[in-house]
Amino acid sequence: MGGSIIENCKVIVGIDVSSKDSTVCVLMDKVRQGKTFKISNDMVGFQQLYKRLRLYSVIPLIVFESTGVYSLSLQAFLEKKHIQYLKLNPLKAKKLMDNNLRHNKTDQVDAYRLALIQFNAPQKLLKPQSRAYHEMQNASRYYEELNKAMVVAKNQLHRNLQTTFPQIENLMCHPTGKIYWSVVALFPHAQAVLDSNKEHILGELETISGLSQKKAEYLTQRLISLARLTCAYDNKDSIVIRAIQRNIACLFSLDQEKKEALAYLYKLASKNQADTRILTIYQSIPGIAKTTALRLLAELGDLRRFDSPNQIDAFIGIDPGIYQSGELDSHLSITKHGNSIARKIMYLSIGQMESVKTTQPCHITDYYDRKKSSQSRGFKKIAIASVHKLIRTMYALVTKNQLYDYNVATRNQRL
């Protein structure tokens, strides 16, 4: 299932994809074949491209950049016709084209340079994954969008409360979650507390699901104390109150939608026994819970399609860049060429692993703590180095179909 380089493919087609149309350049043994031409990004244009490709004895290799949603239609057509393609990350493509001393920036030049890449610096081709992984990634990306929307709604709620009841954010240790939002919805303004008596406030709080009698009594006292400390700028009839109510309704809706997105993602993963096993393997690693495991599966796909952990490093963009000039050969910071969401999840996983290390030891957190105590490198560099170890661990466990074992891992530090 690993990648392979099409060394005997002498015809390469570079396609510069734009929003509505694409520019196509055909090279044979580095020589341009005819004029560069344009096709529309629809079935008419793709059929026109396919007709040109069939003029050659061997179907050429297609090279194009991953331009977000715009390149997906082309990719779908190529997969339907069983045409091999190389889809490059835009940053990596730019670097490869710049190495070839690209000076002009036009669609025609980019299409030519994209085709030239596979002659000058052949890239490995990964076997396309099943559409099931694509749909899982869709669910993961939707979940990410919901997370971002929740951050926006929380920030808006924070700003709005500053003019009506800023002290309410000290009501609980963490001013977030359903109980906190429910309390704020009941009392969005300090005056609403001051205008009520203790019995009325307690009665309102007792309507909140999941709130015990003892906790309701405690929060009642806290609300009264905090309301007395508040000097509100806007009055209780201000339209800001409507904005606060809208923020809270949005947060409840987004929270429910996140749960449904995760349930859908789990349903997709459960259809395949191999994916279910991978989830179990991921969750055996200390600090990786169900949500993280699901999103790692969705973003990384089946790790067995990679030849080595280094390919996974490159896939998520944590492989180190290299600078060469004369006799100077030095490593730069990570390339950030790959899957940024997968990179983010892996990075956050290290923090999750650190949070449970006292009860769930892991050789990766042991490494992280040793490096951190030595203070030889910055926090981010240590975290990225830990991500490298996590990737090697995940790859070894999945390819060997084994669950994580701390004793085994400490004996085999190559993990």
Side-chain angles (χ1 to χ4, degrees):
M1 297 184 67
S4 61
I5 299 177
I6 311 300
E7 295 177 336
N8 60 348
C9 184
K10 301 301 183 182
V11 181
I12 309 292
V13 177
I15 302 181
D16 185 72
V17 181
S18 299
S19 59
K20 295 181 180 180
D21 53 40
S22 299
T23 305
V24 183
C25 180
V26 182
L27 297 186
M28 180 180 290
D29 292 329
K30 296 187 180 183
V31 178
R32 195 190 306 261
Q33 302 299 300
K35 292 183 178 181
T36 299
F37 61 95
K38 284 185 176 290
I39 59 170
S40 55
N41 291 341
D42 53 29
M43 286 301 295
V44 174
F46 298 151
Q47 290 290 358
Q48 177 188 350
L49 172 66
Y50 185 60
K51 185 177 180 180
R52 295 262 190 139
L53 298 181
R54 295 186 66 183
L55 296 175
Y56 300 94
S57 58
V58 177
I59 296 295
L61 172 69
I62 310 297
V63 181
F64 63 95
E65 292 180 72
S66 175
T67 54
V69 294
Y70 298 128
S71 61
L72 291 180
S73 294
L74 173 62
Q75 181 178 332
F77 180 81
L78 296 176
E79 291 177 358
K80 183 179 179 180
K81 294 295 185 180
H82 305 289
I83 300 173
Q84 286 192 306
Y85 63 85
L86 172 64
K87 183 171 69 171
L88 293 171
N89 176 279
L91 291 175
K92 184 172 186 180
K94 181 180 184 301
K95 180 180 178 182
L96 289 169
M97 288 190 287
D98 286 345
N99 284 344
N100 291 330
L101 302 178
R102 177 183 64 166
H103 297 292
N104 300 318
K105 174 68 175 79
T106 66
D107 292 342
Q108 290 82 2
V109 170
D110 279 352
Y112 170 72
R113 294 295 184 184
L114 282 169
L116 201 59
I117 285 174
Q118 197 64 4
F119 285 107
N120 294 337
Q123 303 296 303
K124 286 191 174 182
L125 310 179
L126 290 176
K127 181 180 179 181
Q129 295 195 94
S130 70
R131 285 302 180 93
Y133 285 110
H134 175 70
E135 184 62 8
M136 280 193 278
Q137 190 178 82
N138 283 340
S140 175
R141 299 296 168 87
Y142 180 48
Y143 183 86
E144 183 73 12
E145 289 178 10
L146 294 171
N147 268 335
K148 291 179 180 178
M150 285 198 76
V151 171
V152 172
K154 287 178 181 179
N155 289 338
Q156 290 175 342
L157 177 62
H158 166 74
R159 288 195 299 270
N160 289 326
L161 283 172
Q162 299 316 297
T163 65
T164 63
F165 199 173
Q167 276 68 33
I168 199 172
E169 293 186 329
N170 299 320
L171 181 67
M172 306 172 74
C173 295
H174 302 287
T176 189
K178 287 188 173 182
I179 291 179
Y180 171 72
W181 298 333
S182 297
V183 174
V184 175
L186 291 169
F187 302 100
H189 197 287
Q191 196 62 43
V193 176
L194 298 176
D195 289 345
S196 304
N197 56 44
K198 182 178 179 181
E199 290 72 23
H200 178 264
I201 296 172
L202 179 60
E204 290 290 307
L205 295 184
E206 287 176 340
T207 65
I208 299 175
S209 177
L211 189 61
S212 67
Q213 174 73 23
K214 185 176 180 180
K215 186 71 172 179
E217 292 175 355
Y218 167 76
L219 292 180
T220 298
Q221 293 290 352
R222 285 286 294 160
L223 270 173
I224 295 171
S225 299
L226 293 170
R228 289 171 177 167
L229 292 173
T230 298
C231 181
Y233 182 82
D234 290 313
N235 61 46
K236 65 179 182 179
D237 298 322
S238 171
I239 197 171
V240 176
I241 301 302
R242 289 177 60 183
I244 290 172
Q245 299 288 6
R246 180 182 178 279
N247 295 150
I248 293 170
C250 183
L251 286 167
F252 273 112
S253 176
L254 289 169
D255 186 66
Q256 180 61 31
E257 193 70 11
K258 282 178 60 178
K259 291 179 181 178
E260 292 177 6
L262 282 177
Y264 178 66
L265 181 51
Y266 182 72
K267 180 181 177 181
L268 292 173
S270 300
K271 291 181 178 179
N272 187 301
Q273 188 175 359
D275 291 337
T276 303
R277 176 59 179 175
I278 291 174
L279 284 179
T280 303
I281 291 172
Y282 286 168
Q283 290 181 78
S284 71
I285 302 173
I288 296 183
K290 181 179 178 180
T291 298
T292 302
L294 278 169
R295 298 201 64 204
L296 285 173
L297 175 62
E299 295 295 339
L300 297 176
D302 189 345
L303 296 186
R304 291 170 296 185
R305 77 186 191 280
F306 295 101
D307 293 329
S308 70
N310 290 338
Q311 286 188 4
I312 306 174
D313 287 347
F315 179 75
I316 69 171
I318 63 167
D319 52 324
I322 299 177
Y323 175 80
Q324 291 180 320
S325 177
E327 296 182 356
L328 179 62
D329 187 348
S330 59
H331 288 272
L332 307 176
S333 59
I334 60 175
T335 61
K336 296 186 180 180
H337 284 162
N339 186 323
S340 61
I341 294 179
R343 186 166 63 246
K344 174 184 175 182
I345 297 170
M346 297 289 292
Y347 185 83
L348 294 176
S349 295
I350 301 302
Q352 295 169 2
M353 296 167 75
E354 276 286 298
S355 67
V356 300
K357 65 182 179 183
T358 54
T359 55
Q360 301 178 49
C362 179
H363 73 290
I364 298 171
T365 53
D366 291 345
Y367 168 84
Y368 179 89
D369 292 338
R370 285 198 306 271
K371 292 296 182 180
K372 190 176 179 181
S373 62
S374 67
Q375 296 182 345
S376 59
R377 292 190 284 182
F379 164 76
K380 287 187 177 180
K381 289 186 177 180
I382 297 172
I384 292 298
S386 301
V387 170
H388 280 289
K389 292 186 77 68
L390 176 57
I391 287 173
R392 288 195 293 272
T393 299
M394 291 167 57
Y395 183 77
L397 295 176
V398 169
T399 54
K400 296 176 182 178
N401 193 25
Q402 296 176 350
L403 299 180
Y404 180 82
D405 186 305
Y406 177 66
N407 294 324
V408 173
T410 51
R411 287 198 302 268
N412 183 9
Q413 282 304 300
R414 292 188 64 185
L415 287 178

